[in-house]
């Protein structure tokens, strides 16, 4: 889970980041000092939840929100501002909540935990929809046939002539070829390196050498990085267009 904070006041950014990290220790937290800085980070960072100020120097919060929505329709947007007069405009960009400064910690905890719950519910629905569309993959390991649904695969890697499939709950080894697995799982997966296959849906962040996932990480071959960025952007746009 990725949570972004965009506020031009340093003290507010730091305060929000600390509160978020305490409540969601597993989250990847990114902070931005301006709307321009946030927008420039897209599509390299795709927040699941965005805490956004409205009254900022340069590109204001509402303008930032509209530009952000054009690239990310799925994120849960929470305005954190001292301005009450924009509350109705917030609905135009699909805001989840509107926190008025100053707010107490109890209210912040309530709103953020509700946002996390909403996010988890959406992801569960998406995976259920995907399950209905894609057949299971059958692998043989230890003399047993095991059915694995592609949506459950976080990533796969090749090690010592075996393919190891990593899900959130287990690691399954079998003799096979990564090329064949890649054909079976479809377009929601990418091979950033000959020894790795990753599920776009579990990526938390990445750079030119490494992809970080909700469980584990995968290597990035230097020559594959530009194509990976394009493919990941296409994936996010496709998934985003499915959301209101």
């Amino acid at each position: 889970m990725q949570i972004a904070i965009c506020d031009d006041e340093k003290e507010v950014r730091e305060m929000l980041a600390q509160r978020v990290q305490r409540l969601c220790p597993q989250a990847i937290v990114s902070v931005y000092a301006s709307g321009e800085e946030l927008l420039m980070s897209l599509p390299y960072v795709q927040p699941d939840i965005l805490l956004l100020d409205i009254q900022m120097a340069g590109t204001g919060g509402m303008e930032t929100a509209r530009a952000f929505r054009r690239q990310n329709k799925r994120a849960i947007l929470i305005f954190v501002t001292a301005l009450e007069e924009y509350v109705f405009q917030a609905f135009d960009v699909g805001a989840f909540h509107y926190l008025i400064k100053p707010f107490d910690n109890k209210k912040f905890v309530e709103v953020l935990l509700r946002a996390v719950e909403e996010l988890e519910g959406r992801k569960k629905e998406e995976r259920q929809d995907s399950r209905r569309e894609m057949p299971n993959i059958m692998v043989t390991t230890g003399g047993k046939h095991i059915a694995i649904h592609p949506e459950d695969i976080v990533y796969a890697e090749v090690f010592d002539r075996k393919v190891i499939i990593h899900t959130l709950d287990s690691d399954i080894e079998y003799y096979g070829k990564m090329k064949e697995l890649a054909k079976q799982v479809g377009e929601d997966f990418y091979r950033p390196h000959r020894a790795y296959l990753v599920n776009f849906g579990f990526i938390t962040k990445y750079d030119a050498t490494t992809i970080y996932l909700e469980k584990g990480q995968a290597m990035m071959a230097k020559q594959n990085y530009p194509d990976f960025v394009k493919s990941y952007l296409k994936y996010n746009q496709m998934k985003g267009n499915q959301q209101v």
Side-chain angles (χ1 to χ4, degrees), residues 15 42 44 51-52 63 68 105 151 176 201 203 232:
M15 177 269 291
L42 303 175
Y44 306 104
L51 303 172
L52 177 64
E63 185 180 349
F68 176 81
N105 189 59
E151 192 68 23
I203 293 174
Y232 189 42

Side-chain angles (χ1 to χ4, degrees), residues 1-2 41-48 71-72 74 123 187-192 198-207 210-214 220 224-240:
M1 177 172 56
Q2 297 190 64
S41 73
L42 303 175
Y44 306 104
V45 177
Q46 286 289 334
D48 297 302
Q71 299 188 57
N72 188 326
R74 305 168 68 210
K123 287 186 175 182
E187 295 182 354
D188 286 354
F189 288 75
Y190 189 87
R191 290 187 71 181
V198 301
N199 185 337
F200 282 133
F202 287 99
I203 293 174
T204 59
K205 63 178 180 177
Y206 63 88
D207 54 39
T210 309
I211 297 174
Y212 301 88
L213 302 123
E214 292 184 26
M220 177 86 74
N224 292 339
Y225 183 63
D227 184 64
F228 166 81
V229 172
K230 292 179 183 178
S231 298
Y232 189 42
L233 173 59
K234 181 180 178 181
Y235 167 84
N236 282 312
Q237 290 174 333
M238 179 183 67
K239 294 296 182 180

